[in-house]
Amino acid sequence: MPDANQMMVEESPLPLYVQIRDNLRRQILDGTFQVHERLPSENTMMKTFRVSRITIRQALRDLHNEGLVFSAQGKGTFVSKPKAVQNVQRLEGFGEAMAAQGYEASARVLSIQQLKAPKAVAASLDLEPGDDAVEVKRVRYLNRSAVCVENSYFPMDIGRRMFSLDLSGDIFPMLENLFGVPLGGADISLDAILADDEAQQHLNLKSGEAILRVERLTHNREGRPIDFEYLCYRGDSFKYQFRIDRK
């Protein structure tokens, strides 16, 4: 548990509950508070931060709403297993979205190969039947915990350039900055499926557990499909967030 000096807030124009919330969030995300560790009691935080109970509860309420903490009746407030949120109002890679929220995101390549494009992949990428594509399989990590198995498919003119590259980061910035491919938009669909053997192995799941599967087809700015992906997430670690307006 951190000492009192780590938990003190500094002079700031922000409301006290916001400063306390941000202080606690930072220590949860950097691992100072471990998953399922009990946070200091409200009384302890009132003394440490020299604020009222309502201020502490405002800060904790925000952390509850973010999914970073949970409460157990009569036992206190505990750190939740991180559940990252990706807002899909803007096209971003996993690492880009997570870094903006203070998470550490990384990837491990399982395989990269040239193969005959599966039927659904060929249709999505506007390939002819029998055409080849490049498949990249990776495990994505959030704060060093495996949260996603990612199968990505690229047309040959793009995919063949990836064999000699470091694929431990986001591919979107690589497409834009290294390949000079400006990204336009993506079509996304979501469903829940049972984890297959691959997902069970790499995400440490049990047989019969469900996962969140995201299908994402990304186009360049001219509308050409250039990246088709199956993103299979642990349901307890990740969620997509949408905003829609009624006009």
Side-chain angles (χ1 to χ4, degrees), residues 200-218:
Q200 290 174 37
Q201 175 187 350
H202 296 297
L203 301 182
N204 193 28
L205 298 172
K206 297 175 182 177
S207 178
E209 285 196 68
I211 55 175
L212 171 66
R213 182 177 65 177
V214 178
E215 289 187 19
R216 182 170 65 188
L217 176 62
T218 302

Side-chain angles (χ1 to χ4, degrees), residues 1-204:
M1 180 176 293
D3 59 36
N5 290 330
Q6 286 179 285
M7 295 183 62
M8 295 302 291
V9 295
E10 301 177 354
E11 291 294 329
S12 169
L14 294 173
L16 282 172
Y17 86 91
V18 173
Q19 296 180 58
I20 295 167
R21 177 199 68 199
D22 291 349
N23 181 295
L24 293 171
R25 181 198 291 121
R26 183 175 61 253
Q27 293 184 78
I28 290 170
L29 294 179
D30 70 15
T32 302
F33 287 114
Q34 299 293 314
V35 173
H36 296 157
E37 181 177 347
R38 183 180 183 273
L39 294 183
S41 68
E42 290 183 2
N43 287 336
T44 297
M45 286 195 279
M46 287 166 58
K47 293 176 183 177
T48 299
F49 293 117
R50 299 178 184 176
V51 295
S52 66
R53 188 178 303 275
I54 192 170
T55 299
I56 297 298
R57 288 184 173 176
Q58 282 180 301
L60 292 177
R61 182 185 62 224
D62 280 2
L63 296 176
H64 272 282
N65 291 339
E66 293 177 31
L68 291 175
V69 300
F70 65 94
S71 295
Q73 186 67 33
K75 295 183 179 180
T77 301
F78 298 82
V79 177
S80 301
K81 183 173 182 178
K83 189 163 189 174
V85 177
Q86 184 160 357
N87 190 310
V88 292
Q89 294 182 69
R90 180 175 181 272
L91 179 59
E92 293 180 304
F94 180 81
E96 292 174 306
M98 296 304 100
Q101 299 176 52
Y103 292 100
E104 174 191 334
S106 59
R108 177 170 64 90
V109 177
L110 298 175
S111 65
I112 177 170
Q113 63 177 323
Q114 178 177 337
L115 45 64
K116 179 179 176 180
K119 186 175 180 180
V121 172
S124 297
L125 293 178
D126 286 347
L127 303 178
E128 295 295 329
D131 280 357
D132 281 358
V134 171
E135 176 195 69
V136 178
K137 289 189 176 186
R138 304 191 297 173
V139 178
R140 302 307 302 260
Y141 295 87
L142 185 66
N143 288 358
R144 304 184 186 182
S145 295
V147 297
C148 176
V149 174
E150 175 185 286
N151 290 3
S152 303
Y153 298 88
F154 305 91
M156 286 303 303
D157 61 312
I158 293 174
R160 65 163 58 98
R161 302 173 63 183
M162 295 182 176
F163 281 88
S164 61
L165 299 177
D166 178 5
L167 300 179
S168 61
D170 273 356
I171 287 178
F172 283 175
M174 179 188 299
L175 294 173
E176 291 184 313
N177 302 325
L178 192 60
F179 294 3
V181 179
L183 300 182
D187 301 315
I188 295 173
S189 63
L190 311 174
D191 63 353
I193 63 171
L194 295 181
D196 60 14
D197 291 343
E198 185 175 62
Q200 290 174 37
Q201 175 187 350
H202 296 297
L203 301 182
N204 193 28

